[in-house]
Amino acid sequence: ALTTTVRSGPFPHAECEARTMEDELELLGAMFSSDEDELVVERPTGGGATISVRLRPSSGGEQRRRLMEATLALELSQAYPESAAVCRLSRSRGMVGDEEAALLAALTALAAEAASSGEPCVYALVEAAIEKLTELNAGGDCPICRDDLFPRGTAPPPPTYVSACFHSFHCPLCCRRAELPGG
């Protein structure tokens, strides 16, 4: 759990705000590795921070079921948390445009809601993004045959090919497509 910030009066104390942001950054540092570029924090001299987190869906440790990923960039101004974190997605892989837009819209709404009450939200934004990515990752159709990539109740699921750009296909269909003239 995050540290609760106690405030007196309508404006927060600068020291309390700095401590809250530090607590959030410390928590993210414990969750993500800066060695593998999972977490990058930039602290400009004027205050605030820019946080980039590489997001991957929860897949129960099965790498082959990770069909998407994205980097979430959060820009925090000096007025954070009373000022909403600005959310951006980059380096997304395996998502189509409307999925990216839906994820970004949900995160932006969460950031605005937290800012309206002056609550810190970096951890909540990262968790919400991972949850939504996991949701999107759980489904998905093969773009060739339009069947589920991982149908429920089939044991074992059909083999799936995941390209470097995270496009996913049923393996037998990829092989057949490659064998066709012009494939």
Side-chain angles (χ1 to χ4, degrees), residues 4-131:
T4 304
T5 304
V6 178
R7 300 180 176 142
S8 60
F11 300 102
H13 297 322
E15 184 178 310
C16 290
E17 290 308 308
R19 189 67 237 150
T20 300
M21 186 186 297
E22 292 303 319
D23 289 344
E24 287 189 294
L25 294 176
E26 183 179 333
L27 180 60
L28 287 178
M31 292 172 58
F32 297 95
S33 167
S34 59
D35 295 339
E36 298 175 15
D37 288 332
E38 289 183 332
L39 174 66
V40 177
V41 178
E42 297 172 9
R43 305 289 302 264
T45 55
T50 300
I51 302 163
S52 295
V53 182
R54 187 167 58 177
L55 304 171
R56 294 184 182 105
S58 299
S59 62
E62 290 188 54
Q63 294 292 359
R64 70 180 194 86
R65 288 209 181 219
R66 284 188 175 168
L67 306 179
M68 10 182 99
E69 73 177 37
T71 297
L72 172 64
L74 301 171
E75 292 180 25
L76 310 178
S77 73
Q78 281 183 294
Y80 173 80
E82 279 72 26
S83 174
V86 176
C87 305
R88 291 190 176 83
L89 288 176
S90 64
R91 294 185 281 191
S92 85
R93 299 165 83 184
M95 284 189 279
V96 293
D98 61 335
E99 291 171 330
E100 279 186 46
L103 174 58
L104 195 54
L107 296 176
T108 300
L110 180 60
E113 182 182 332
S116 70
S117 61
E119 294 297 320
C121 64
V122 170
Y123 177 76
L125 288 169
V126 171
E127 284 295 303
I130 291 171
E131 184 178 312

Side-chain angles (χ1 to χ4, degrees), residues 89-176:
L89 288 176
S90 64
R91 294 185 281 191
S92 85
R93 299 165 83 184
M95 284 189 279
V96 293
D98 61 335
E99 291 171 330
E100 279 186 46
L103 174 58
L104 195 54
L107 296 176
T108 300
L110 180 60
E113 182 182 332
S116 70
S117 61
E119 294 297 320
C121 64
V122 170
Y123 177 76
L125 288 169
V126 171
E127 284 295 303
I130 291 171
E131 184 178 312
K132 184 67 175 169
L133 206 58
T134 300
E135 227 175 81
L136 292 170
N137 186 68
D141 297 335
C142 172
I144 298 172
C145 69
R146 296 297 197 198
D147 288 339
D148 287 340
L149 284 170
F150 300 106
R152 298 186 198 288
T154 61
T160 303
Y161 170 75
V162 180
S163 69
C165 58
F166 282 46
H167 288 94
S168 309
F169 309 92
H170 287 124
C171 286
L173 296 174
C174 287
C175 294
R176 263 188 264 148

